[in-house]
């Protein structure tokens, strides 16, 4: 299996998350690696839920994922969430990305990670669902863009910063990842329940 | 958490490039020129990106925090992003960050407020909760707060409540939050519902009014034409997310009492069920997903209420349809929901009609998680009528089951087979099959259990012996089968010895042919079987003695095996037939307790999941099968509150006259019941009693206690100075447990007497004795107890206590009874001590020292310097001082290592104020304890009592 860039949205009850963030990167990376192995080996016609091991906080938690072309969107939720509801939420998130980026592709996610993050922040904060109405989310995101433009002059800031990063001159724009040897970082972004 | 995975082809080149860039950024930040906002933002953003590429970032935090106080949205935003990603909750920067957040929350600028709230919710640390848990409710319920800010505030509060519930105060705002359920903005309602659901789980009373509001909101959504809700309609389903949340909220409460509300809710649920039957409005999977999300939640609520048979049966039929749906997700969820439905008495029968579909799922599903759900459901729907079919199917499945779930299936099969066995031959067959198919996954509990059942039911013993004998004929059989076989033939081999095909010698040779392939514990068990054979079949005694005498036994490197061989050989040579018959008698029946297998399954599945189901099923099946029920002993113990767990911990060690050494490797049966009261003499093949000399084997002697000595149980007595519950005394016959409570000068003590033997105690008379001195200061009233205490039973006695004036000694509890042929008499001190009548007093440092000075008369102070008997742990010390009864005063003593306490001793005649101070000296491992009270004797006594505690 090859997937060139994966967004894993991890959604955990804060209790577990607190633990995860305390135990820092090794554990987080282990979680990510585990998630990969669990999700990637599944073919498309089996169910989108799977029970996770102790790493994810035990039997009360499920991984719920959706597969779009080369991307997997994975949420980890406890039993207080509706499974199908989460599938819907992933769909809403993806549709919103699509609207905001006009035909979203992986590179958008990679090079506009700040924007993606802000979109996610409009859907989910602190592990909890904030908004499910796509129009509302898009409106919020657009309002932000307007603010950015209004402050303009100097900026279009994040995008400039990002292009600055682009010019760091990475040997090649990454296309394929080899899960085996990659150094995975899990930033402690929105923790999800 | 978001993860971004990127990797270049040449990792080295990437790392080199990034290190260069990091050095560049570092020099910019350290440079003399102050950076403008734009540059700062640029570099912080670069750092963030590099971090996301998987490199460590250990600087830039301060620059990010600086960005927070910028007035530019874009700078603020990057600053907050950096902080949410890179600052963990322990950072000392938190204080600076909190300041910036505080300013933004007060800014009245909705965008800035939003950023700040998101940051709090994402970090969610305790420090943040301390700083903002009071502020956020105000923002949430303020009339002029923008909708989007309200949404964020609600979720932010929820996050803080989850991480630090103690820091979120309930108050006026709660009722106003409930009214957010009526808000016009559906996003606000959704966020508020999430918040209320979590709060209501802990404070149901406070949020009770949310039920009717939630029902009417739900009703408006469900009955609306899908266009009414415009933006919140998702693929033709009106506000599915909110509906799900509302249905979840309602699951925090029982069915509404108000008939109007209840009717309206029923109407909603019916409408949702009806809509499921309508043709889909769209072919898209999103449409059916959203619709079914609501439907499943409605079914969960119906199951939770468990009160409307009509709805329950409809729900069951709906789930039945899903069981055959082509979407795997729906089949999975249907199996899961049906599992809970199976435990409702209204729908149990309806669930059972789907058995064939479920069995089919077990055979054909490609996904192990779905198959696992199918196993769960079969287990849940099992009852007497279908047990044979279900057990057979599970056994079938076990042959090919995934390794990950085999052990659980084994436990389930074992439980079902036992619970629903009409015919115990079926039970024995099933368990032997289990061992054959999945021997490695058959845990000790399972094979212990089959032995208990065979021993307790004489109708199945012959069959069991015959069956294990046949099973052992297989050239390769699992070691667990050898254990069961060895045990059962050792007990009941005589029942099949009449058949020449299973004559004693053949039985022995069959077992012994497995001997050398087995592990040490199994071999130890087989040796015990052999000595039992000596008793059962005198005709093969010499053969067995030859085996025991062989070098491989007598000189075995394993101590346990060697010891058994030596002792058994000696026993078989010296003891007379009568003595042999007594020692090696058939095992007595086991006391009936909850199946240890069930306990194991509960443990495996975690509390809650199995329990409910089991409780319900147990009730339902109680009339059919007594064997899984706890005995009355157990039941009575269960009804007493928590500390009784201690009291029931009757020793498991077999009873012989010399105290048996702590059992070790070979103790195969000791753990069978968690609180087993297995008593008395006959030698179990598995037990490892040591026969030092044969004459000791003549069992059942218990030495009489000298009548006049008070038990030297001082250590136990002192344990009760700082606690009120526990075991006061225990010997081989009797256990005495205590549970007591005290208020002011009054108290009440429950004494539990547990008979650890299987024989009745007669003329059982406990008496509480006070010396003449004590009688004038302590009033004790007791009621007599029943003079007969059955084997394994526990009786209770209440002592009412009144403290008239301060006292020194402790009352004596004397117990006399007849056990077997002997008269027993024993006495223990009853831990009623002066400190029990303490009431803690809080006081300030100033007050404390003022009073301390007032009590400066040398007669009022008693001091003791003593060596620490226990490790000097401050937390334990604090707990003991509190347990002693006084208040523990913090920040009173100028030296924080010292402990200071204050309280009042209440007696009927007077009240005595007491101050205490304990100074540990860690280096010398010593304490100095000082007591000051208005009465010398009290200071003296309290000092004595407390000194013993450290």
């Amino acid at each position: 299996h090859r997937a060139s860039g994966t967004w894993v949205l991890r959604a955990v009850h804060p209790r577990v998350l607190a633990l995860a963030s305390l135990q820092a990167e090794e554990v987080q990376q282990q979680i990510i690696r585990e998630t990969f192995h669990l999700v990637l080996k599944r073919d498309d016609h089996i169910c989108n839920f799977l029970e996770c091991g102790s790493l994810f906080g035990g039997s009360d938690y499920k991984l719920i994922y959706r597969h779009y072309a080369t991307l997997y969107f994975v949420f980890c939720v406890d039993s207080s969430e509706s499974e199908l509801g989460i599938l819907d939420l992933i769909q809403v998130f993806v549709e919103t990305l699509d609207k905001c980026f006009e035909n979203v592709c992986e590179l958008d996610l990679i090079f506009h990670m700040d924007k993606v993050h802000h979109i996610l922040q409009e859907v989910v904060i602190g592990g909890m669902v904030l908004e499910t109405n796509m129009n509302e989310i898009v409106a919020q995101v657009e309002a932000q863009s307007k603010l950015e433009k209004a402050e303009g002059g100097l900026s279009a800031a994040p995008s400039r910063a990002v292009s600055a990063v682009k010019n760091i001159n990475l040997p090649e724009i990454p296309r394929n990842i080899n899960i085996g040897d990659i150094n995975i970082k899990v930033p402690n972004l929105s923790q999800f329940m | 958490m978001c993860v971004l995975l990127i990797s270049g082809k040449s990792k080295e080149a990437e790392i080199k490039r990034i290190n260069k860039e990091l050095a560049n950024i570092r020099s910019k930040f350290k440079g003399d020129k102050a950076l403008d906002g734009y540059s700062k933002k640029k570099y912080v953003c670069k750092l963030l990106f590099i971090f996301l590429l998987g490199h460590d970032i250990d600087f830039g935090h301060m620059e990010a925090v600086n960005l927070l106080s910028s007035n530019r949205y874009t700078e603020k935003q990057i600053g907050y992003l950096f902080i949410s990603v890179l600052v963990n909750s322990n950072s000392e920067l938190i204080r600076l960050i909190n300041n910036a957040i505080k300013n933004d929350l007060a800014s009245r600028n909705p965008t800035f407020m939003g950023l700040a709230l998101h940051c709090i919710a994402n970090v969610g640390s305790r420090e943040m909760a301390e700083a903002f848990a009071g502020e956020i409710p105000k923002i949430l319920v303020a009339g002029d707060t923008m909708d989007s800010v309200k949404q964020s505030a609600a979720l932010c509060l929820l996050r803080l409540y989850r991480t630090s519930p103690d820091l979120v105060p309930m108050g006026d705002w709660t009722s106003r939050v409930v009214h957010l359920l009526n808000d016009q903005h559906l996003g606000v309602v959704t966020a508020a519902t999430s918040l209320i659901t979590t709060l209501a789980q802990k404070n149901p009373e406070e949020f009770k009014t949310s039920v009717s509001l939630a029902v009417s909101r739900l009703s408006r959504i469900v009955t609306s034409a899908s266009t009414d809700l415009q933006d919140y309609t998702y693929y033709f389903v009106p506000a599915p997310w909110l509906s799900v949340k509302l249905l979840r909220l309602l699951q925090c409460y029982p069915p509404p009492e108000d008939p109007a509300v209840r009717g309206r809710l029923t109407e909603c649920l019916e409408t949702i069920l009806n809509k499921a039957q309508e043709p889909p409005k769209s072919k898209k999977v999103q449409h059916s997903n959203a619709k079914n999300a609501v439907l499943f939640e409605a079914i969960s609520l119906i199951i939770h209420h468990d009160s409307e048979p009509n709805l329950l049966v409809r729900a069951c039929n709906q789930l039945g349809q899903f069981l055959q749906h082509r979407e795997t997700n729906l089949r999975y969820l249907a199996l899961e929901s049906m599992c809970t439905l199976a435990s409702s008495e209204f729908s149990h029968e309806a669930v059972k009609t789907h058995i064939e579909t479920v069995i089919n799922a077990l055979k054909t599903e490609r996904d192990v998680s779905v198959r696992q759900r199918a196993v769960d459901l079969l287990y849940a729907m099992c009852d007497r009528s279908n047990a044979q079919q279900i057990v057979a199917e599970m056994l079938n499945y076990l042959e090919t089951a995934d390794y990950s779930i085999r052990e659980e299936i084994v436990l389930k099969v074992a439980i079902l087979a036992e619970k629903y066995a009409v015919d115990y031959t079926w039970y024995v067959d099933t368990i032997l099959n289990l061992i054959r198919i999945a021997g490695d996954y058959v845990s000790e509990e399972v094979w212990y259990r089959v032995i208990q059942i065979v021993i307790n039911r004489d109708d199945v013993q012959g069959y069991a012996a015959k069956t294990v004998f046949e099973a052992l004929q297989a050239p390769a059989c699992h070691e667990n089968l050898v254990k069961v076989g060895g045990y059962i033939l050792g007990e009941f081999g005589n029942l099949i010895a009449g058949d020449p095909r299973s004559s004693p010698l053949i039985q022995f040779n069959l077992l012994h042919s497995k001997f050398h392939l087995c592990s040490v514990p199994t071999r130890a068990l087989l040796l015990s079987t052999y000595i039992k054979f000596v008793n059962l079949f005198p005709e093969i005694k010499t053969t067995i003695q030859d085996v025991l005498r062989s070098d491989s036994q007598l000189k075995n490197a394993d101590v346990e095996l060697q010891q058994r061989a030596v002792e058994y050989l000696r026993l078989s040579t010296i003891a007379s037939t009568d003595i042999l018959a007594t020692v090696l008698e058939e095992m007595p029946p086991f006391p009936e307790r909850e199946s240890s297998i069930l306990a194991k399954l509960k443990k495996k599945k975690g509390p809650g999941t199995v329990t409910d189901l089991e409780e319900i099923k147990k009730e339902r099946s109680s009339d059919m099968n007594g064997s899984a029920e706890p005995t009355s002993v157990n039941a009575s113990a269960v009804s007493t509150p928590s500390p009784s767990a201690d009291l029931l911990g009757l020793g498991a060690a077999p009873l012989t006259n010399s105290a048996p050494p702590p059992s070790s490797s070979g103790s195969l049966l000791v753990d069978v019941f968690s609180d087993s009261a297995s008593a008395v003499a006959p030698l179990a093949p598995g037990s490892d009693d040591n026969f030092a000399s044969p004459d000791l084997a003549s069992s059942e002697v218990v030495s009489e206690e000298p009548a006049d000595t008070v038990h030297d149980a001082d250590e136990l007595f002192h344990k009760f100075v700082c606690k009120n519950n526990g075991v006061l005394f225990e010997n081989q016959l009797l256990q005495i447990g205590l549970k007591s409570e005290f208020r002011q000068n009054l108290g009440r003590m429950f004494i539990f007497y547990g008979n650890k033997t299987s024989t009745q105690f007669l003329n059982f008379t406990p008496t509480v004795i006070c010396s003449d001195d004590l009688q004038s200061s302590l009033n004790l009233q007791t009621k007599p107890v029943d003079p007969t205490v059955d084997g394994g039973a526990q009786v209770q006695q209440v002592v009412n206590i009144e403290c008239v004036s301060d006292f020194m000694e402790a009352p004596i509890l004397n117990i006399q009874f007849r056990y077997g042929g002997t008269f027993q008499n024993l006495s223990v001190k009853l831990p009623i001590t002066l400190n029990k009548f303490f009431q803690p007093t809080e006081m300030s440092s100033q007050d404390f020292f003022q009073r301390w000075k007032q009590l400066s008369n040398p007669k009022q102070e008693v001091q003791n310097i003593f060596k620490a008997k226990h490790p000097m742990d401050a937390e334990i010390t604090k707990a003991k001082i509190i347990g002693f009864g006084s208040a523990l005063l913090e920040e009173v003593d100028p030296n924080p290592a010292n402990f200071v306490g204050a309280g009042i001793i209440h007696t009927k005649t007077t009240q005595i104020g007491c101050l205490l101070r304990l100074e540990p000296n860690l280096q010398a491992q010593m304490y100095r304890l000082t007591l000051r009270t208005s009465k010398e004797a009290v200071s003296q006594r309290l000092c004595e009592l407390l000194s013993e505690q450290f």
Side-chain angles (χ1 to χ4, degrees), chain B residues 312-605:
Chain B
L312 280 162
V313 170
R314 281 192 67 185
C316 184
N317 293 339
Q318 182 62 54
L319 292 177
Q321 287 181 19
F322 283 145
L323 284 182
Q324 320 223 29
H325 202 279
R326 59 189 168 75
E327 276 269 327
T328 317
N329 290 341
L330 295 181
R331 295 199 300 275
Y332 174 94
L333 294 173
L335 287 167
E336 195 178 51
S337 298
M338 231 181 214
C339 237
T340 45
L341 202 52
S343 59
S344 160
E345 56 172 320
F346 300 117
S347 50
H348 183 77
E349 287 303 316
V351 170
K352 273 167 60 187
T353 59
H354 299 287
I355 184 166
E356 295 301 335
T357 320
V358 182
I359 288 172
N360 200 35
L362 201 58
K363 289 177 178 162
T364 57
E365 283 290 350
R366 288 167 57 205
D367 186 345
V368 56
S369 12
V370 183
R371 289 196 297 270
Q372 165 96 59
R373 290 286 85 82
V375 172
D376 287 348
L377 178 53
L378 282 180
Y379 179 73
M381 67 162 70
C382 192
D383 63 18
R384 185 145 304 215
S385 71
N386 54 20
Q388 301 230 355
Q389 186 189 7
I390 285 179
V391 166
E393 290 296 343
M394 281 189 169
L395 277 174
N396 240 338
Y397 175 58
L398 191 55
E399 306 223 24
T400 55
D402 311 76
Y403 293 104
S404 54
I405 58 175
R406 281 194 182 185
E407 191 187 352
E408 200 182 311
I409 297 179
V410 167
L411 290 175
K412 285 183 166 158
V413 169
I415 291 168
L416 294 179
E418 178 189 334
K419 190 189 275 177
Y420 298 116
V422 188
D423 174 0
Y424 276 85
T425 60
W426 173 72
Y427 170 76
V428 170
D429 285 341
T430 304
I431 301 295
L432 291 182
N433 257 330
L434 263 188
I435 296 176
R436 185 179 55 75
I437 296 170
D440 286 342
Y441 297 90
V442 172
S443 56
E444 291 184 332
E445 287 86 350
V446 174
W447 76 261
Y448 287 170
R449 190 67 187 158
V450 69
I451 284 170
Q452 288 163 21
I453 287 183
V454 169
I455 286 179
N456 287 8
R457 308 195 64 94
D458 42 21
D459 53 334
V460 76
Q461 287 160 355
Y463 181 81
K466 181 164 160 286
T467 320
V468 291
F469 178 77
E470 279 162 10
L472 283 169
Q473 306 282 344
C477 49
H478 195 273
E479 191 166 332
N480 278 335
L481 181 66
V482 179
K483 291 180 189 163
V484 175
Y487 200 112
I488 288 183
L489 290 180
E491 294 291 323
F492 310 113
N494 55 330
L495 299 177
I496 57 168
D499 188 327
R501 285 167 300 176
S502 51
S503 72
L505 190 60
I506 294 178
Q507 285 185 37
F508 173 72
N509 285 336
L510 180 61
L511 283 176
H512 199 54
S513 70
K514 317 279 180 196
F515 186 89
H516 298 283
L517 300 171
C518 292
S519 63
V520 168
T522 310
R523 278 193 264 168
L525 183 147
L526 285 177
L527 286 179
S528 297
T529 304
Y530 298 169
I531 188 70
K532 286 231 154 187
F533 275 176
V534 168
N535 175 45
L536 287 182
F537 312 125
E539 63 267 37
I540 58 167
K541 180 170 170 180
T542 50
T543 318
I544 290 171
Q545 282 176 331
D546 287 346
V547 169
L548 293 175
R549 201 176 288 124
S550 71
D551 277 358
S552 64
Q553 307 296 353
L554 280 190
K555 296 186 180 167
N556 196 298
D558 186 273
V559 181
E560 176 69 31
L561 292 180
Q562 195 186 72
Q563 186 173 6
R564 285 194 187 212
V566 172
E567 287 173 2
Y568 290 165
L569 181 60
R570 196 85 187 121
L571 179 64
S572 70
T573 344
I574 295 178
S576 71
T577 335
D578 285 350
I579 290 178
L580 267 186
T582 317
V583 176
L584 301 171
E585 196 190 327
E586 198 178 291
M587 285 295 286
F590 287 85
E592 292 294 355
R593 293 286 164 86
E594 180 189 43
S595 158
S596 49
I597 309 177
L598 200 55
K600 172 146 182 167
L601 184 64
K602 280 178 189 168
K603 203 162 128 197
K604 206 172 154 54
K605 292 289 253 186

Side-chain angles (χ1 to χ4, degrees), chain A residues 8 36 48 51 62 80 91 95 117-118 121 131 133 151 157 165 168 174 187-191, chain B residues 1-2 5-6 17 41 49 73-74 77 81 84-85 122 151 159 231 235 248 286 329 332 336 373:
Chain A
V8 179
F36 264 114
N48 298 76
E51 267 133 86
K62 282 191 183 129
S80 72
Q91 177 70 16
E95 285 182 26
H117 180 68
H118 281 295
Q121 288 265 297
E131 183 55 75
N133 172 359
E151 284 173 14
V165 175
I168 293 176
N188 182 10
L189 283 195
S190 58
Q191 304 118 357
Chain B
M1 240 177 270
C2 295
L5 301 176
I6 299 177
R17 190 76 198 93
K41 177 179 59 185
F49 187 79
Y73 167 74
T74 43
Q77 181 207 29
L81 179 55
S84 309
V85 174
N122 284 331
Q151 259 169 294
R159 176 69 207 272
D231 286 355
Y235 289 92
R248 277 276 152 114
Q286 281 78 15
N329 290 341
Y332 174 94
E336 195 178 51
R373 290 286 85 82

Side-chain angles (χ1 to χ4, degrees), chain A residues 24-59:
Chain A
E25 283 150 27
E26 301 81 59
V27 177
Q28 294 182 354
Q29 297 199 17
Q30 207 188 339
I31 286 173
I32 297 307
R33 222 165 276 139
E34 186 92 342
T35 309
F36 264 114
H37 289 301
L38 285 174
V39 172
L40 287 188
K41 71 179 179 201
R42 297 172 68 84
D43 59 39
D44 274 351
H45 298 289
I46 59 181
C47 77
N48 298 76
F49 323 121
L50 62 148
E51 267 133 86
C52 1
S54 53
L55 200 53
F56 301 93
S59 59

Side-chain angles (χ1 to χ4, degrees), chain B residues 6-20:
Chain B
I6 299 177
S7 167
K9 274 202 178 138
S10 155
K11 206 153 172 60
E12 295 74 31
E14 181 191 315
I15 290 175
K16 212 169 149 194
R17 190 76 198 93
I18 281 180
N19 282 339
K20 201 170 157 199

